[in-house]
Amino acid sequence: MSTPTRLRPEKEPGTIVADPDEAPDLTPPPASRNLMQVPWVARLLRSRLYPGVIQVPVAAVFGLVAYQLLVGPDSAHDNAGTALMWVLWWPLIPIVFVVLGRFWCAVCPFGWLSDQVQKLVGANQPVPAFLKRYGIWIIDASFLLITWADHVWGVVESPWGSGVLLLLLTTAVIASGALFQRRTFCRYLCFLGGLSGNYARTGMVELRADPAICRTCTARAACYNGTDKVAGCPLFTFPRTMDTNANCNMCANCIKACPNDAIQVRLRKPTSELWFITKPSTEESFLAMAIMGIVIVQNVTMLEVWDSALAWLEATTGMTNYALIFTVAFAVAVSLPVGLLALVSRVAASRNMESTMKNFARFGYALIPLDVAGHIAHNLFHLLAEGGSVFTTVAALVGVAYGDGSPALAGDTTIRILQFALLALGIAGSLYTARRITHRRYQSIPRRAGTFVPMAVLIAFLGALNVYLFLLPMAHRM
């Protein structure tokens, strides 16, 4: 095994370059309470047991899930692995991202596996340039492919299919750990990492360095490179210049390695990071809009009218191949939000004198709150309408019969109220974010209005579309 090399931290983030008449407000977000001043939080994050003390039970449950998926009951309704993975974990994970950022990535079994492979047989090669440049597009494509495969091949409804998905991901993690430095897979290839990066920007907790202390640091970037006792940042992020949650997994390595106690863990207003994006990315905005389309198509295919729509398509077009029909529907659903943002960006470009692409990249982030709300609202149906299956299938593993009635944990009315409340928060969050970005970027009222109004119309339309779909009766998955 080769000796790990000292890596060079990424360059400090760039700043927006505006035209002379429109100097943007580059004031950073206000500081909030530092949780490292809370004794038990500081002790936990500085402990050598963190995050391992959480990784162990998570890995044990992961092992149980994998075993059940591969050798357990063939029916998803009776399989504990399917219930734990798709009815419990998948609905809860976006909530974790909103509350704690990418904390899941710190305790994810895949990250731990990558670390162990690297210690045993790691070639420790630098991350290929094409991954650094196109990794987010690979993440976008893989997320779309997995969602498409679920509907065409029934991955969620098939324990074996879900098990094969886990095996494929495990293989990719092992290969990445054996070849490349740190957690290359998590940073540049993991489809969930891309999702978590976007959602973590709305998170209520952030890890940042105190720049005043860092200016006088002589520890040669120990927070980034690590020490003899603590590994470097697994996601290649330099705490001193970090201004986003997207690539921080809250593993606390930098906290333990910093000799000056310069790292802070702070509470902040939800979505506030989105107001201060200095280097907007087209790829990340595309992913946000693609996920919006995925939620739409997920809702449509769960509606009771979906089967009627399939029958009508077969009768009018002669198409009987479900994979072909769904591929067309999937392409339309994903393209709709992407195309609408591109159209609205073109309208805004004629008002604010910036390119369509710049508007697309910048204001795609404004849609993330609605994105998160729609995703959680959709998953909430599975959690509350099917959550009882978690108890029944897990109890069955130890020979205990636990209930034989409906798997619902809440009634349809309660679920809809919660869904609409989430959507209302998402719409409000996106509108407020668009307003803050617009006011921060442009000084003149005509440019502000010419940019915000079309964005607000888009947010209102997508919000109304989600509300309409959630009004319709949905079919259960389990």
Side-chain angles (χ1 to χ4, degrees):
M1 181 180 69
S2 60
T3 302
T5 55
R6 187 175 295 271
L7 305 181
R8 177 176 297 177
E10 295 179 356
K11 295 181 179 179
E12 296 200 15
T15 57
I16 299 174
V17 178
D19 66 67
D21 297 326
E22 292 294 330
D25 174 16
L26 296 179
T27 305
S32 51
R33 187 186 182 191
N34 179 15
L35 295 179
M36 293 300 292
Q37 295 175 349
V38 180
W40 72 267
V41 174
R43 285 196 301 270
L44 173 65
L45 296 180
R46 291 194 176 108
S47 171
R48 62 183 179 84
L49 298 178
Y50 175 87
V53 69
I54 306 173
Q55 283 178 322
V56 171
V58 169
V61 174
F62 177 84
L64 172 64
V65 169
Y67 178 81
Q68 279 292 298
L69 291 175
L70 294 172
V71 303
D74 293 333
S75 170
H77 181 272
D78 301 319
N79 193 289
T82 302
L84 288 168
M85 183 174 180
W86 298 116
V87 179
L88 182 63
W89 173 78
W90 187 244
L92 290 179
I93 199 67
I95 300 175
V96 174
F97 297 150
V98 172
V99 176
L100 297 174
R102 289 187 66 166
F103 167 74
W104 165 257
C105 298
V107 300
C108 174
F110 284 139
W112 176 86
L113 177 61
S114 177
D115 292 344
Q116 304 314 306
V117 171
Q118 197 170 78
K119 291 177 182 177
L120 293 173
V121 296
N124 219 31
Q125 294 298 306
V127 180
F130 81 92
L131 275 187
K132 291 183 177 182
R133 184 172 182 179
Y134 300 111
I136 186 64
W137 286 116
I138 296 174
I139 287 172
D140 292 356
S142 61
F143 197 92
L144 293 171
L145 178 61
I146 290 172
T147 306
W148 176 86
D150 170 30
H151 284 274
V152 173
W153 293 319
V155 174
V156 172
E157 290 80 7
S158 167
W160 175 252
S162 297
V164 170
L165 174 61
L166 285 183
L167 288 177
L168 291 173
L169 292 173
T170 302
T171 301
V173 169
I174 292 174
S176 174
L179 293 173
F180 305 120
Q181 295 170 335
R182 306 195 185 192
R183 294 186 181 180
T184 296
F185 177 84
C186 303
R187 172 69 187 265
Y188 296 107
L189 293 171
C190 179
F191 77 95
L192 186 59
L195 177 72
S196 65
N198 262 11
Y199 285 8
R201 296 179 187 276
T202 69
M204 299 163 59
V205 176
E206 65 179 11
L207 184 149
R208 298 291 187 270
D210 185 333
I213 298 177
C214 291
R215 288 191 195 101
T216 61
C217 179
T218 59
R220 301 184 65 183
C223 58
Y224 180 83
N225 289 303
T227 65
D228 294 338
K229 296 181 179 180
V230 181
C233 175
L235 296 186
F236 306 92
T237 301
F238 189 26
R240 177 176 175 176
T241 59
M242 185 169 65
D243 61 355
T244 174
N245 274 12
N247 295 309
C248 173
N249 66 1
M250 302 296 293
C251 67
N253 282 7
C254 57
I255 293 175
K256 298 170 190 174
C258 176
N260 305 312
D261 293 334
I263 310 299
Q264 302 179 356
V265 178
R266 305 185 301 221
L267 291 175
R268 66 182 186 183
K269 296 178 182 178
T271 76
S272 59
E273 180 182 314
L274 300 172
W275 315 338
F276 299 93
I277 300 294
T278 56
K279 298 178 67 177
S281 164
T282 301
E283 301 94 323
E284 291 172 350
S285 289
F286 175 86
L287 179 61
M289 303 313 299
I291 292 173
M292 180 78 69
I294 287 173
V295 172
I296 291 173
V297 77
Q298 293 274 31
N299 286 336
V300 169
T301 55
M302 286 179 59
L303 298 178
E304 294 178 356
V305 300
W306 175 244
D307 290 335
S308 300
L310 289 178
W312 178 83
L313 283 172
E314 291 179 3
T316 56
T317 66
M319 290 192 300
T320 58
N321 186 303
Y322 178 79
L324 178 59
I325 293 174
F326 175 76
T327 299
V328 174
F330 185 69
V332 171
V334 171
S335 299
L336 177 65
V338 176
L340 287 176
L341 178 59
L343 176 62
V344 168
S345 296
R346 179 69 188 91
V347 174
S350 65
R351 306 294 194 274
N352 60 34
M353 310 305 290
E354 293 192 296
S355 69
T356 299
M357 191 62 69
K358 283 186 177 180
N359 278 280
F360 183 96
R362 181 170 298 116
F363 287 95
Y365 294 95
L367 273 295
I368 291 179
L370 179 56
D371 214 3
V372 175
H375 194 170
I376 294 177
H378 172 84
N379 285 351
L380 196 67
F381 175 82
H382 297 300
L383 180 64
L384 297 182
E386 305 169 356
S389 63
V390 175
F391 298 104
T392 56
T393 55
V394 172
L397 295 178
V398 293
V400 176
Y402 184 90
D404 55 1
S406 169
L409 300 178
D412 289 344
T413 301
T414 300
I415 293 173
R416 280 205 175 97
I417 291 174
L418 292 173
Q419 287 176 323
F420 295 149
L422 285 168
L423 288 175
L425 288 173
I427 293 170
S430 283
L431 287 172
Y432 188 68
T433 299
R435 179 182 178 277
R436 288 296 297 261
I437 293 174
T438 302
H439 279 241
R440 181 170 176 263
R441 179 72 188 177
Y442 310 107
Q443 301 302 309
S444 68
I445 293 178
R447 286 195 180 186
R448 287 178 176 178
T451 304
F452 175 73
V453 171
M455 294 298 168
V457 171
L458 173 61
I459 292 167
F461 172 77
L462 291 174
L465 179 59
N466 275 278
V467 169
Y468 172 73
L469 292 176
F470 283 121
L471 279 171
L472 301 176
M474 290 189 175
H476 289 215
R477 183 166 57 185
M478 291 284 289

